[in-house]
C-alpha cells in the first residue's frame, strides 16, 4: 500500500489499511489488559506414529529451537489450572446446517467440555456477543447449545457472494453480460472485482472479530478456542478462475486481484499462537442436520402441550419454559438450508479446509470434522504436558518462530504445540487498538500521550509530532512503538507503525524539562482524523491520544514551550455507574507534583476544595439523576491555576450539546481582569452517535467570525481592548438540521453567566372520543395555560414529520422467557418503520437491573441487533428501568418518546415509584406502557393485587402525555406499536415564552382545544 502522500516510509515503518466499521468491540479496560501468553511456556502433545499417546520419557527426547537457535528445556510437568474453553460460532462464514450439527455434537459432549474447565459460548456475526457466560455446569452448556441450534442461523456469506455472482452472470441467463465479446468481458470483469472486494471484506471482518476476542482476554492459563465454521477459501480468486476458465469469457479474471486482507491468515495464526490460544476448527459434515432427522409429525409430538423444557442461557440451573416452536417453521428452515444454489456455475467453496488446518497447525490444535474426532481430541487434550524454557529474547523483541521436534534416535513421533512466542504486542493488534481509539471504543491507555498536527511542507498536508510529558516514566531498556492511525474521508483507516529506540530504531529527543519528543516524518491529509498510540514494548504499557491541530499563528520550533500545551494537570474520573444521584464521590488523577489544591464546581458553583491527595470530593447531586456538569480546577502553591477538567454525568447517549469553554483563569475572574487581545476560544461539542455535524459557527456580538467543520473546535478571537464587552455565541448544526447553541458573556457584569433559552416547547397529541388522532387543527384553536395564566404562542406547527428519538424499553426479566421472542419481533417491526426518517433509537432491557443493549443510534440495523441481544434474567425492576431510560433522553434535542413493554409484574422494592414519577416530570418525555398480562386484561386492572401498580402507571403517563395499553399475553403487539407510532406522527408543536419567567419550582401546564370532543395530551408541567 503506498503512503498517503506518496512519500517513502522511513526504516522500521509498517503500513496497514483497513475499513473502519462500527462494532461492539471489547471493553476498553480489557483491551488494555490483554497480554501475550508467557513466552517461555508451551503446552505439548506427543503421540506415536499411529496416534497413540507417547510415554513420558518421549518428552525428554525433544529438541526446541527459537528462530533456529537451540534452547534448553527447564521443566516438564502437568498443565497448571483448568482450561478456558470458548465455543466460537462463526455466524458470518458458517452455514445453517453445519451450525446446527456442531451445536448438537457439542451438546452431546458437554460433560467432557466442562471437565476441562469453564465453557463460554460466543456468537460472531456482525459483532461478538456472548450467548453463555463461562459455566462449569454440563446441563447448562448442553441446553444453551440446544437453544442456539433452534434460534440462531449462519449466513454462509462467502458462498452467498458467489451465488449472487452466479445469478447475475449466468452465461445463458437473463443477467448475462450483453454486447460484443470485449464488452461482455469488461462487464464480467467488473462483477468479478466487485465480488472479490466483497469476499475480502467478509474475510477481514471475520478475522477482526477473532482479534477482538484475543484483545479482550487478559487472563492466564491454558485456552482452547473451538472455532465452529463452514470454512472459507483463503484465495477467492481461485474460484472465479475455475468458474470462468472453460468459457470464452475467461479473460474477465485476467489481471484481477484480491484486495489486501488485514490481518493476513499468517498474522491471525501468529497472534492466536502468541496469546496462547489452542485453536480447534470444527467443520462438521454438511449432510448432518439435526432438524432434518425429524418429520413434521415427530416435531409436533415432541412439542406435547405446545412447549419444550429448556433451561435459560445465562442462569441455567433452573428449568424454564420456551415458547411454542412451530413445526412448520422448523421444516421451512430445514428446507431453506437444504436448497442448492442456482444452476449453471457452481457456487461452492473450493478449498475451505486448508486455512482452518493452518490455524490449527500454528496454534498446536487440530481440524475436527466429525463427532468422533471431537471426542478423541478432548481425550488427547487432557494428556498435554507443560514445557518451560528460556527463550533468550529481550522484552521488546518481535515474535519469534519456535520448532519442537524429536531428537535424533527418538523414533517416529508426532508433536503438536504453538509455533510462535514473544512478549510484545503484534503490529496487527496495535493497529486495531488505534482503530478502536479512532472509533471512541477504547480508553486512552495508561501512558499520557500528546500529539500535534502541524502544517507540513507540501501544500494541503500536515505532519505529526508526538510528546511524552516528563511525568511519564519509561523503562530505559525498552523500545517504543508508535502506531499512527488516520481516519480518512472514505471511511477507511490507515495505520503506520514506527519503532523508537532500540537497535535500528529512531532516536528520541529529550527536552530540557525531561519531556520526550518524537518527530515523525509521515504526512497526512489535513482532512484526516489522526490518533497516536505509544507502546512500551517490554512491558506492554501503552497510551494514545487524538492529534490536536496547532492554533493559527503558532509554529512549532525547537523550543518545547511552543511544541504543545502543558500536560493536563488534573483529570476528573467519571463515576462507574450509568446514573448517579445523592452523595457521589469524584476522584481525580493529578499529573503534576506542583498541584497543592483542587477545587470542585457543580454546575458552575464552587462546592468543595481539597488540599490533600488523592484530591477527591463527595458532592450531593440531589435526589434525581439529573444532568450535571462537574469541574475540577487544580492550583499550585502560589494560587495559580495549573489546569482543569470537566465531565457531564447522567447524560443520555443521544444527547446533543455544545459548550463554550471559558478561556479565563479563576484569578482573572476574581480580579475582574479584562479578557482582551488574542483569546483562544475552545468549544466542546457532543454529537449523538450515528449523527454527523454539518458545521460549527462562532459569533461575536451576533457577527459570524468562524466556521469549523471538524474537531478540534478552536478559534482565536481578537477582542479590542478599547471595546471589550460583548458575548460569544456558538451554534452547532447537525446534517439533519438539528441545532444546539451556547452563549457566554465576556468582560461584562454577566461574564460568568450563560444565556438560558426560556422557550417552552410542548409536543401535543389531540384525540377524539374514540381515541383517534385529530389532525389539521389551527393555531387559534389552541390555548396554553401556565399556572392558570394564558400564554401567547410564539410558534405553532405540525410535528408529525420531525425526527424522533425513541427509547424501546423491553422487560427481559426471567418471567419473560417464553414471550421475549414475540416481543422482540413486534418491536423490530416498529424499528423497521423508522428507517425512512431521520429518527434515532436506543434499546434498554431490564430484569433486576436495566441494561443498555444499544445506545442511541440512527442505524436501525444496529438497533435491531441490540434488540435481539436481550436475554431473560432476574426480577422485574420496572421503576429503575424507567429512570435509567429517561436518563438516556436527557440532552436529546427535539421530539422524544419512551415505549415500555412489561408483563405487569411489580418486583421493584429497592427503587421508588415516586422517584420515577418526579424524574419523568422533570424530563418531560411521553411514556407509553404496553402491559401484557392475562389477569390485568381480563379484569381491566381491577384485581386487588394489580390495582395499585396499574394506578401508578396511569398517573405517571397522565403527567407526561403518554398512555397505558393493556393486552393479553398472546395478543399481536404490532397493532399497539402502530397506534403509538400514529400518535407520535400526529403531534403538534407549540412554543411559548412564559409571561412570568421569575421564580423556581414546578410550573403547571394545561392545554385546551376549541373543538367538541377533542382531548389534548402533553406534559402536565415542568420545573424551572
Amino acid at each position: 500500500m503506498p503512503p498517503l502522500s506518496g512519500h517513502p516510509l522511513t526504516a522500521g515503518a509498517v503500513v496497514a489499511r483497513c475499513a473502519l466499521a462500527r462494532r461492539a468491540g471489547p471493553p476498553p479496560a480489557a483491551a488494555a489488559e490483554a497480554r501475550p501468553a508467557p513466552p517461555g511456556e508451551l503446552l505439548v502433545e506427543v503421540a506415536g506414529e499411529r496416534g497413540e499417546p507417547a510415554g513420558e520419557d518421549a518428552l525428554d527426547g525433544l529438541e526446541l529451537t527459537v528462530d533456529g537457535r537451540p534452547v534448553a528445556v527447564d521443566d516438564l510437568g502437568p498443565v497448571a489450572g483448568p482450561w478456558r474453553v470458548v465455543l466460537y460460532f462463526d455466524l458470518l462464514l458458517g452455514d445453517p446446517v453445519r451450525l446446527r450439527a456442531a451445536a448438537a455434537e457439542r451438546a452431546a459432549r458437554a460433560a467432557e467440555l466442562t471437565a476441562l474447565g469453564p465453557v463460554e459460548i460466543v456468537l460472531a456475526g456482525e459483532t461478538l456477543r456472548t450467548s453463555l457466560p463461562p459455566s462449569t455446569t454440563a446441563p447448562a452448556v448442553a441446553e444453551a447449545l440446544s437453544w442456539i441450534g433452534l434460534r440462531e442461523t449462519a449466513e454462509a456469506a462467502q458462498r452467498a457472494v458467489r451465488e449472487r455472482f452466479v445469478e447475475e452472470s449466468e452465461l445463458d441467463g437473463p443477467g448475462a453480460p450483453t454486447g460484443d465479446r470485449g464488452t461482455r468481458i469488461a462487464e464480467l470483469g467488473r462483477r468479478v472485482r466487485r465480488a472479490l472486494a466483497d469476499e475480502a471484506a467478509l474475510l477481514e471482518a471475520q478475522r477482526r472479530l477473532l482479534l477482538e476476542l484475543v484483545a479482550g482476554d487478559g487472563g492466564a492459563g491454558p485456552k482452547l478456542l473451538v472455532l465452529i465454521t463452514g470454512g472459507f477459501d483463503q484465495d477467492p480468486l481461485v474460484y472465479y478462475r475455475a468458474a470462468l476458465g472453460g468459457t470464452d469469457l475467461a479473460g474477465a479474471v485476467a489481471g484481477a486481484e484480491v484486495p489486501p486482507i488485514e490481518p493476513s491468515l499468517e498474522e491471525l495464526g501468529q497472534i492466536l499462537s502468541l496469546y496462547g490460544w489452542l485453536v480447534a476448527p470444527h467443520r462438521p459434515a454438511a449432510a448432518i442436520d439435526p432438524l432434518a432427522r425429524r418429520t413434521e409429525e415427530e416435531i409436533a409430538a415432541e412439542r406435547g402441550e405446545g412447549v419444550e423444557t429448556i433451561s435459560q442461557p445465562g442462569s441455567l440451573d433452573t428449568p424454564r419454559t420456551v415458547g411454542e416452536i412451530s413445526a412448520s417453521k422448523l421444516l421451512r428452515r430445514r428446507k431453506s438450508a437444504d436448497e442448492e444454489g442456482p444452476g449453471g456455475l457452481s457456487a461452492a467453496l473450493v478449498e475451505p479446509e486448508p486455512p482452518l488446518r493452518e490455524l490449527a497447525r500454528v496454534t498446536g490444535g487440530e481440524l475436527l470434522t466429525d463427532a468422533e474426532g471431537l471426542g478423541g481430541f478432548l481425550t488427547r487434550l487432557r494428556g498435554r504436558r507443560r514445557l518451560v524454557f528460556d527463550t533468550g529474547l529481550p522484552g521488546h523483541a518481535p515474535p519469534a518462530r519456535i520448532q519442537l521436534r524429536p531428537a535424533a534416535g527418538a523414533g517416529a513421533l508426532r508433536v503438536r504445540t504453538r509455533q510462535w512466542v514473544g512478549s510484545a504486542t503484534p503490529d496487527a493488534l496495535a493497529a486495531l487498538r488505534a482503530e478502536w481509539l479512532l472509533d471512541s471504543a477504547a480508553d486512552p491507555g495508561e501512558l499520557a500521550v500528546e500529539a500535534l498536527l502541524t502544517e507540513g511542507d507540501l501544500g494541503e498536508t500536515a505532519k505529526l509530532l508526538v510528546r511524552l510529558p516528563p511525568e511519564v516514566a519509561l523503562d530505559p531498556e525498552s523500545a517504543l512503538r508508535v502506531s499512527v492511525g488516520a481516519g480518512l474521508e472514505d471511511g477507511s483507516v490507515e495505520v503506520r507503525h514506527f519503532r523508537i529506540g532500540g537497535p535500528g530504531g529512531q532516536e528520541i529527543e529529550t527536552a530540557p524539562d525531561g519531556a520526550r519528543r518524537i518527530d515523525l516524518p509521515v504526512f497526512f491529509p489535513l482532512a484526516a482524523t489522526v490518533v497516536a498510540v505509544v507502546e512500551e514494548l517490554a512491558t506492554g504499557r501503552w497510551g494514545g491520544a487524538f492529534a490536536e491541530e496547532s492554533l493559527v499563528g503558532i509554529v512549532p520550533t525547537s523550543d518545547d514551550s511552543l511544541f504543545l500545551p502543558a500536560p493536563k494537570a488534573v483529570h476528573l474520573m467519571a463515576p462507574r455507574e450509568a446514573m448517579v444521584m445523592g452523595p457521589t464521590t469524584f476522584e481525580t488523577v493529578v499529573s503534576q507534583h506542583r498541584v497543592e489544591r483542587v477545587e470542585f464546581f457543580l454546575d458552575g458553583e464552587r462546592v468543595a476544595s481539597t488540599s490533600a491527595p488523592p484530591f477527591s470530593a463527595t458532592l450531593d447531586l440531589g435526589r434525581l439523576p439529573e444532568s450535571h456538569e462537574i469541574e475540577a480546577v487544580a492550583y499550585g502553591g502560589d494560587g495559580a491555576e495549573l489546569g482543569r477538567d470537566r465531565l457531564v454525568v447522567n447524560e443520555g447517549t443521544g444527547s446533543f450539546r455544545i459548550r463554550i469553554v471559558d478561556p479565563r483563569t479563576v484569578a482573572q475572574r476574581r480580579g475582574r481582569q479584562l479578557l482582551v487581545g488574542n483569546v483562544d476560544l475552545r468549544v466542546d461539542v457532543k454529537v449523538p452517535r450515528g449523527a454527523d455535524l454539518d458545521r460549527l459557527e462562532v459569533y461575536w456580538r451576533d457577527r459570524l467570525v468562524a466556521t469549523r467543520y471538524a474537531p478540534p473546535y478552536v478559534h482565536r478571537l481578537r477582542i479590542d481592548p478599547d471595546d471589550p464587552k460583548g458575548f460569544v455565541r456558538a451554534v452547532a448544526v447537525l446534517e439533519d438540521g438539528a441545532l444546539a447553541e451556547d452563549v457566554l458573556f465576556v468582560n461584562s457584569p454577566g461574564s460568568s453567566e450563560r444565556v438560558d433559552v426560556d422557550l417552552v416547547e410542548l409536543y401535543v397529541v389531540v384525540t377524539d372520543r374514540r381515541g383517534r388522532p385529530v389532525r389539521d387543527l389551527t393555531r387559534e384553536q389552541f390555548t396554553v395555560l401556565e399556572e392558570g395564566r394564558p400564554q401567547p404562542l410564539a410558534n405553532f406547527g405540525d410535528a408529525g414529520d420531525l425526527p424522533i428519538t425513541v427509547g424501546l424499553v423491553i422487560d427481559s426479566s426471567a418471567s419473560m422467557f417464553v414471550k421475549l421472542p414475540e416481543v422482540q419481533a413486534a418491536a423490530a417491526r416498529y424499528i423497521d418503520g423508522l428507517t425512512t426518517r431521520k429518527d434515532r433509537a436506543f434499546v434498554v432491557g431490564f430484569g433486576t437491573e436495566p441494561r443498555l443493549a444499544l445506545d442511541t443510534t440512527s442505524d436501525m440495523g444496529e438497533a435491531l441487533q441490540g434488540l435481539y441481544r436481550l436475554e431473560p434474567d432476574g426480577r422485574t425492576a420496572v421503576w429503575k428501568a424507567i429512570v435509567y431510560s429517561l436518563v438516556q433522553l436527557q440532552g436529546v434535542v427535539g421530539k422524544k418518546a419512551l415505549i415500555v413493554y412489561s408483563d405487569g409484574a411489580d418486583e421493584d422494592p429497592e427503587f421508588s415509584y415516586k422517584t420515577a414519577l418526579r424524574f419523568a416530570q422533570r424530563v418531560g418525555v411521553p411514556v407509553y406502557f404496553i402491559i401484557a398480562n392475562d389477569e390485568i386484561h381480563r379484569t381491566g386492572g381491577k384485581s386487588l393485587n394489580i390495582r395499585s401498580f396499574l394506578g401508578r402507571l396511569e398517573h405517571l403517563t397522565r403527567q407526561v402525555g403518554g398512555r397505558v395499553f393493556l393486552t393479553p399475553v398472546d395478543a399481536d403487539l404490532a397493532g399497539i406499536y402502530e397506534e403509538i407510532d400514529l400518535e407520535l406522527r400526529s403531534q403538534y408543536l407549540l412554543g411559548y415564552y412564559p409571561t412570568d419567567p421569575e421564580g423556581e419550582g414546578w410550573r403547571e401546564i394545561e392545554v385546551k382545544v376549541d373543538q367538541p370532543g377533542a382531548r389534548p395530551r402533553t406534559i402536565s408541567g415542568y420545573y424551572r
Side-chain angles (χ1 to χ4, degrees):
M1 187 72 199
L4 283 169
S5 64
H7 291 271
L9 292 173
T10 57
V14 181
V15 179
R17 183 183 175 94
C18 46
L20 178 61
R22 293 201 176 274
R23 54 193 174 274
E33 292 170 1
R35 297 284 189 265
E41 290 186 8
L42 297 178
L43 302 182
V44 181
E45 176 192 325
V46 182
E49 188 175 4
R50 297 180 181 179
E52 72 280 4
E56 293 199 11
D57 57 339
L59 293 170
D60 298 328
L62 298 178
E63 292 182 346
L64 180 64
T65 61
V66 177
D67 276 349
R69 174 176 49 84
V71 297
V73 175
D74 295 333
D75 185 33
L76 293 168
V79 175
W83 288 76
R84 177 189 174 190
V85 182
V86 175
L87 304 183
Y88 184 100
F89 286 83
D90 182 359
L91 303 183
L92 187 64
L93 298 180
D95 63 71
V97 175
R98 287 191 171 87
L99 179 142
R100 291 194 290 271
E105 292 173 7
R106 266 144 192 75
R109 301 278 181 181
E112 296 173 73
L113 289 166
T114 53
L116 289 171
V119 176
E120 178 182 356
I121 301 177
V122 174
L123 305 178
E126 292 190 13
T127 60
L128 288 182
R129 54 191 173 101
T130 300
S131 177
L132 178 72
S135 173
T136 55
T137 306
V141 174
E143 296 293 1
L145 289 166
S146 299
W147 182 259
I148 289 172
L150 291 171
R151 289 199 59 183
E152 299 294 341
T153 188
E155 301 180 29
Q158 191 174 31
R159 177 174 172 176
V161 171
R162 296 178 183 182
E163 288 177 348
R164 185 183 66 192
F165 173 80
V166 168
E167 290 173 354
E168 292 181 350
S169 307
E170 193 172 359
L171 301 186
D172 56 354
T178 59
D180 58 37
R181 182 171 178 273
T183 302
R184 288 185 292 138
I185 288 177
E187 171 58 21
L188 197 59
R190 184 187 66 81
R191 298 181 188 181
V192 168
R193 289 190 296 274
R194 184 185 69 181
L196 288 173
D198 290 343
E199 291 200 28
L202 289 170
L203 294 175
E204 182 169 287
Q206 188 262 3
R207 294 173 192 177
R208 289 163 66 83
L209 287 174
L210 275 171
L211 286 185
E212 287 188 9
L213 177 72
V214 173
D217 171 60
K223 291 174 281 192
L224 169 63
L225 175 66
V226 184
L227 174 61
I228 298 115
T229 180
F232 57 93
D233 283 339
Q234 169 64 12
D235 182 3
L237 192 55
V238 173
Y239 163 77
Y240 296 95
R241 284 175 177 156
L244 298 174
T247 72
D248 64 341
L249 299 178
V253 295
E257 294 182 354
V258 181
I261 302 173
E262 302 290 346
S264 67
L265 184 68
E266 293 73 18
E267 287 176 318
L268 179 62
Q270 181 192 78
I271 293 169
L272 288 166
S273 178
L274 285 170
Y275 279 73
W277 285 98
L278 188 152
V279 182
H282 186 195
R283 189 173 186 267
I288 302 175
D289 186 350
L291 299 184
R293 294 172 177 168
R294 294 177 285 179
T295 65
E296 185 168 0
E297 291 75 17
E298 290 172 332
I299 296 174
E302 187 177 296
R303 284 164 44 207
E305 295 293 327
V307 298
E308 293 185 16
T309 299
I310 295 182
S311 297
Q312 174 193 356
S315 57
L316 295 162
D317 297 330
T318 305
R320 302 191 184 279
T321 302
V322 178
E324 183 174 308
I325 301 172
S326 164
S328 59
K329 181 185 294 184
L330 290 180
L331 290 177
R332 284 197 303 272
R333 186 185 297 178
R334 181 190 71 189
K335 180 181 177 182
S336 64
D338 292 341
E339 287 177 350
E340 300 201 356
L345 303 174
S346 169
L349 300 178
V350 181
E351 294 181 323
E353 292 188 359
L356 302 179
R357 292 188 188 279
E358 174 61 19
L359 289 179
R361 183 190 67 82
V362 78
T363 61
E366 296 181 39
L367 174 63
L368 311 175
T369 57
D370 54 45
E372 289 71 22
L374 173 62
F377 168 73
L378 294 177
T379 300
R380 291 189 295 275
L381 195 64
R382 287 191 289 271
R384 295 223 172 189
R385 304 280 287 175
R386 176 173 172 266
L387 183 151
V388 180
F389 64 100
D390 181 7
T391 66
L393 299 172
H396 53 76
R401 184 182 292 275
I402 63 175
Q403 187 175 19
L404 184 66
R405 58 192 174 190
L413 296 176
R414 184 186 66 196
V415 181
R416 285 195 176 104
T417 190
R418 63 188 178 110
Q419 299 190 357
W420 289 92
V421 294
S423 58
T425 305
D427 283 345
L429 267 185
L432 192 58
R433 183 178 283 156
E435 290 188 58
W436 282 328
L437 195 60
L438 275 168
D439 204 25
S440 299
D443 65 20
E446 308 162 69
L447 301 180
V449 175
E450 297 168 351
L452 181 72
L453 284 174
T454 63
E455 294 183 0
D457 302 326
L458 300 174
E460 294 297 312
T461 61
K463 62 182 179 180
L464 182 70
L465 304 174
V466 178
R467 179 179 185 268
L468 300 174
E471 292 79 13
V472 176
L474 295 177
D475 184 338
E477 302 299 323
S478 177
L480 302 178
R481 174 178 50 212
V482 181
S483 302
V484 182
L488 306 181
E489 290 182 315
D490 63 359
S492 65
V493 173
E494 185 153 343
V495 181
R496 301 182 182 186
H497 306 288
F498 292 86
R499 185 184 179 90
I500 311 297
Q506 180 178 326
E507 293 296 326
I508 303 177
E509 178 183 342
T510 302
D513 65 352
R516 271 62 53 92
R517 167 176 170 165
I518 305 168
D519 189 343
L520 296 177
V522 179
F523 292 79
F524 294 97
L526 284 172
T529 302
V530 178
V531 295
V533 177
V534 179
E535 180 173 0
E536 198 174 51
L537 293 177
T539 65
R541 294 192 309 151
W542 68 280
F546 280 85
E548 300 281 349
E549 293 183 15
S550 62
L551 301 177
V552 177
I554 297 182
V555 180
T557 67
S558 57
D559 181 0
D560 274 60
S561 65
L562 293 178
F563 169 50
L564 278 178
K568 204 170 192 178
V570 60
H571 177 72
L572 189 58
M573 304 294 290
R576 297 179 180 179
E577 296 79 10
M579 59 180 187
V580 289
M581 49 189 166
T584 304
T585 299
F586 290 89
E587 299 177 343
T588 65
V589 176
V590 173
S591 61
Q592 291 188 14
H593 66 277
R594 294 185 296 143
V595 174
E596 294 193 6
R597 186 176 86 261
V598 175
E599 291 186 350
F600 292 84
F601 293 78
L602 175 61
D603 297 326
E605 297 293 329
R606 181 181 178 276
V607 292
S609 178
T610 177
S611 300
F615 299 109
S616 62
T618 299
L619 311 183
D620 188 356
L621 302 184
R623 300 172 62 185
L624 298 176
E626 296 181 84
S627 179
H628 295 285
E629 183 183 78
I630 316 298
E631 184 175 22
V633 183
Y635 301 93
D638 58 357
E641 179 183 327
L642 301 178
R644 62 178 58 206
D645 193 21
R646 296 178 178 85
L647 65 85
V648 177
V649 297
N650 298 328
E651 182 175 43
T653 59
S655 65
F656 176 33
R657 62 171 171 81
I658 180 174
R659 184 171 180 84
I660 302 170
V661 180
D662 186 350
R664 295 169 301 160
T665 65
V666 173
Q668 285 176 313
R669 281 201 288 266
R670 289 175 176 172
R672 302 296 182 187
Q673 299 179 21
L674 291 180
L675 199 64
V676 295
N678 291 330
V679 176
D680 291 326
L681 194 71
R682 183 178 296 274
V683 182
D684 290 340
V685 181
K686 183 182 184 299
V687 176
R689 183 172 180 263
D692 293 310
L693 187 70
D694 180 71
R695 64 189 183 278
L696 172 75
E697 297 175 340
V698 179
Y699 295 81
W700 170 248
R701 298 174 179 170
D702 275 339
R703 177 174 62 86
L704 180 66
V705 294
T707 303
R708 296 285 182 267
Y709 298 95
Y713 301 109
V714 178
H715 174 65
R716 174 157 288 180
L717 179 68
R718 172 70 181 176
I719 299 179
D720 188 349
D722 296 328
D723 188 14
K725 295 182 180 180
F727 60 91
V728 178
R729 182 164 66 99
V731 180
V733 185
L734 298 183
E735 287 191 347
D736 63 9
L739 299 174
E741 66 177 286
D742 189 27
V743 178
L744 180 69
F745 288 103
V746 177
N747 299 323
S748 61
S751 290
S752 62
E753 300 176 358
R754 297 173 184 272
V755 175
D756 293 325
V757 179
D758 292 326
L759 178 69
V760 177
E761 292 187 333
L762 304 176
Y763 289 91
V764 183
V765 61
V766 182
T767 58
D768 59 20
R769 292 187 177 92
R770 297 183 180 180
R772 298 173 300 188
V774 178
R775 306 297 300 271
D776 302 324
L777 296 175
T778 64
R779 180 190 192 114
E780 290 71 23
Q781 291 177 277
F782 283 87
T783 301
V784 177
L785 304 176
E786 181 178 301
E787 293 293 307
R789 292 184 290 272
Q791 306 293 316
L793 294 182
N795 54 51
F796 172 85
D798 185 343
D801 292 330
L802 294 179
I804 186 172
T805 300
V806 61
L808 292 172
V809 187
I810 307 295
D811 184 346
S812 55
S813 60
S815 60
M816 286 291 298
F817 196 70
V818 174
K819 294 168 281 188
L820 186 57
E822 287 76 13
V823 175
Q824 289 169 318
R829 287 192 291 271
Y830 173 75
I831 289 176
D832 190 56
L834 297 175
T835 57
T836 58
R837 307 194 303 276
K838 296 177 180 179
D839 301 323
R840 298 185 180 90
F842 64 88
V843 179
V844 169
F846 68 95
T848 305
E849 292 289 334
R851 303 176 298 276
L852 186 62
L854 184 78
D855 55 11
T856 308
T857 179
S858 59
D859 186 335
M860 296 308 157
E862 286 190 343
L864 289 173
Q865 293 174 32
L867 182 66
Y868 282 107
R869 279 198 289 265
L870 299 179
E871 296 287 350
D873 186 31
R875 64 176 187 266
T876 309
V878 63
W879 306 123
K880 188 172 187 178
I882 291 170
V883 173
Y884 177 86
S885 303
L886 289 172
V887 166
Q888 310 308 315
L889 289 169
Q890 291 197 114
V892 173
V893 176
K895 191 163 65 169
K896 297 164 279 190
L898 204 63
I899 304 176
V900 183
Y901 176 95
S902 177
D903 61 5
D906 183 9
E907 303 170 330
D908 201 353
E910 299 176 0
F911 206 88
S912 166
Y913 158 72
K914 292 183 179 179
T915 299
L917 174 63
R918 288 197 302 271
F919 193 58
Q921 291 174 321
R922 179 78 67 173
V923 179
V925 173
V927 181
Y928 291 85
F929 287 98
I930 304 174
I931 305 299
N933 184 295
D934 288 337
E935 181 183 0
I936 295 177
H937 185 263
R938 179 175 54 81
T939 64
K942 297 179 181 179
S943 62
L944 293 177
N945 62 339
I946 203 68
R947 187 183 303 166
S948 176
F949 173 65
L950 189 60
R952 291 194 290 268
L953 294 181
E954 294 280 6
H955 182 63
L956 188 149
T957 55
R958 282 197 300 270
Q959 295 298 304
V960 293
R963 287 179 64 185
V964 177
F965 294 85
L966 304 181
T967 177
V969 170
D970 58 354
D972 185 4
L973 301 175
I976 297 178
Y977 278 101
E978 289 175 3
E979 190 169 346
I980 294 173
D981 186 58
L982 179 61
E983 280 202 6
L984 295 175
R985 291 173 183 263
S986 304
Q987 288 178 328
Y988 298 89
L989 176 58
L990 283 62
Y992 69 93
Y993 292 93
T995 55
D996 182 19
E998 301 300 324
E1000 297 182 351
W1002 175 254
R1003 300 290 187 95
E1004 187 171 332
I1005 292 175
E1006 182 182 4
V1007 176
K1008 297 181 179 181
V1009 176
D1010 184 15
Q1011 178 156 309
R1015 300 173 181 175
R1017 290 203 320 272
T1018 188
I1019 60 174
S1020 62
Y1022 69 98
Y1023 284 97
R1024 278 191 57 85

